[in-house]
Amino acid sequence: MKDRLIGDVIAHSGKKGHPRIFLDKERFERIKNSDDPIYIAGVKHVMTRADGYLEKPLLHYEIPDGIRLLDVSRATLDRSLSLGMAYRLTGEEKYAERLWRELENAAGYSDWNPYHHLDVGEMVNAFGIGFDWIYDYLTEEQKSVLIRAIQEKGFMATMDDYLDRERRRSYRWYQDTPGDNWKFVCNGGATVALLAICDEDDVDMPLLEQVFEYAFEDTYRAVRTMYHPDGSYIEGFIYWNYASDYLGHYVWALKSALGTDYGLCDYEPVRTSAYYVKRLCSNTFRAFNFGDASESLMAVPVLSWMGRYFNDP
């Protein structure tokens, strides 16, 4: 499959065709010009967030509990989504410029905390989306900065975990069987970034091919062992949401960039897990709590993605 990757990306999205992660130019235009009140409200919300980020200071490398950079990775992802969407919807360069500054800032960190690899997974996701959505704004030099960071701080650290190379780590997530939500976050985030940069001239293609192959095979197994045949899921509700959200990122990125997910999510228990989650919820819209999951609201965005993917509104 890895040998088809570039050919399939180019065939579906065109050589260096962007945007291709989640949304293409046509779908961005549909969102921008829609008269649907839900779309209008969504665009207003995105623009409010993006405008707020224009005034905020850049993020700092912080591991307040001695373990996690995760809050910084997630904040970078949120800024990438909001500023990148604002740029695609308005064409105003102030949003692309601020997103470039955010990504340049994070690219300058000493690392993305591979000790707690979840942090790397969220950060490479942020970089993949940002690289793709402001691609036509970036100079070749700026693209090289982001590609280098993705490969060195993202993919090389990911390969260390795939190959179980010696280093300090909080959790051997790749080796764990059947594993947990980390498999979807770490593999999915890496694949989003990989699909964004894979047809650039200065990428380390053998490295990308290895990451793609390991990520796909591990996620394929995880889908079929963590979502049980009756639709139940191995972790509590909040982790079903986190895992399924990143599975959605993974599959949506594959289908938008390649036109196929190679059968990754062609598995009925993923669809029926949405009904399992519904039945875990009470009439107060709180989920039954087990494992180390917390009580949480039921209405989550990933249900909309599942409805679209499985044609089950």
Side-chain angles (χ1 to χ4, degrees):
M1 185 186 300
K2 66 182 182 181
D3 298 327
R4 296 168 47 191
L5 178 61
I6 297 300
D8 286 352
V9 167
I10 294 172
H12 186 74
S13 301
K15 176 71 171 176
K16 298 186 180 181
H18 299 272
R20 61 174 175 238
I21 301 299
F22 307 149
L23 300 165
D24 58 17
K25 288 181 181 178
E26 180 182 351
R27 292 196 67 184
F28 274 114
E29 285 296 315
R30 284 166 53 193
I31 293 171
K32 180 168 68 174
N33 298 317
S34 176
D35 59 3
D36 186 322
I38 294 177
Y39 277 69
I40 292 170
V43 169
K44 182 179 179 181
H45 177 71
V46 167
M47 295 307 303
T48 298
R49 293 184 72 83
D51 287 335
Y53 286 139
L54 294 176
E55 305 301 325
K56 288 191 175 184
L58 294 171
L59 297 162
H60 298 289
Y61 186 99
E62 295 180 294
I63 305 180
D65 62 355
I67 300 173
R68 298 168 181 84
L69 184 71
L70 192 55
D71 285 348
V72 177
S73 296
R74 287 175 173 171
T76 305
L77 175 58
D78 192 67
R79 294 179 183 205
S80 188
L81 287 163
S82 300
L83 292 163
M85 178 72 78
Y87 172 65
R88 297 303 329 175
L89 294 178
T90 67
E92 294 186 31
E93 291 190 349
K94 63 182 180 181
Y95 298 113
E97 172 59 23
R98 178 55 195 239
L99 180 49
W100 153 247
R101 289 178 58 210
E102 295 284 355
L103 298 176
E104 179 191 34
N105 177 59
Y109 295 163
S110 58
D111 57 47
W112 292 340
N113 195 34
Y115 172 74
H116 188 257
H117 199 83
L118 209 62
D119 310 0
V120 178
E122 296 248 19
M123 190 68 87
V124 288
N125 192 34
F127 268 64
I129 294 166
F131 183 91
D132 181 64
W133 286 7
I134 64 169
Y135 183 86
D136 57 2
Y137 171 82
L138 297 170
T139 67
E140 292 305 311
E141 183 178 354
Q142 289 171 333
K143 290 171 190 172
S144 293
V145 169
L146 302 186
I147 290 169
R148 185 162 57 250
I150 289 169
Q151 294 187 141
E152 293 178 359
K153 295 180 172 69
F155 296 164
M156 289 181 182
T158 302
M159 285 306 305
D160 285 346
D161 280 10
Y162 289 155
L163 300 177
D164 206 14
R165 291 173 178 145
E166 185 175 350
R167 75 147 183 252
R168 289 180 66 250
R169 42 174 67 85
S170 64
Y171 172 36
R172 294 171 68 244
W173 61 273
Y174 176 76
Q175 287 73 26
D176 194 13
T177 303
D180 59 20
N181 56 85
W182 283 50
K183 290 188 178 292
F184 300 104
V185 178
C186 299
N187 292 326
T191 301
V192 168
L194 186 153
L195 292 170
I197 69 170
C198 63
D199 55 346
E200 293 298 307
D201 298 331
D202 53 348
V203 299
D204 181 346
M205 200 60 217
L207 173 63
L208 268 64
E209 288 175 340
Q210 277 191 302
V211 170
F212 185 79
E213 186 171 31
Y214 274 95
F216 186 89
E217 290 180 357
D218 192 43
T219 307
Y220 191 93
R221 286 191 299 268
V223 168
R224 284 149 182 81
T225 54
M226 293 170 63
Y227 294 87
H228 296 159
D230 62 359
S232 61
Y233 176 72
I234 198 168
E235 300 178 276
F237 172 82
I238 194 171
Y239 289 113
W240 171 88
N241 179 31
Y242 190 32
S244 299
D245 191 49
Y246 260 88
L247 176 61
H249 275 212
Y250 195 155
V251 172
W252 191 9
L254 286 171
K255 289 185 74 70
S256 61
L258 296 158
T260 178
D261 67 352
Y262 301 119
L264 176 61
C265 207
D266 185 15
Y267 186 60
E268 178 67 7
V270 175
R271 183 188 71 84
T272 54
S273 74
Y275 293 95
Y276 161 72
V277 165
K278 179 180 178 182
R279 291 173 184 126
L280 282 179
C281 293
S282 71
N283 59 357
T284 64
F285 293 95
R286 293 284 177 179
F288 173 71
N289 182 16
F290 68 92
D292 64 344
S294 59
E295 293 182 353
S296 179
L297 293 175
M298 177 188 117
V300 290
V302 70
L303 292 172
S304 295
W305 170 77
M306 285 184 170
R308 179 185 292 273
Y309 182 88
F310 291 105
N311 192 28
D312 185 359

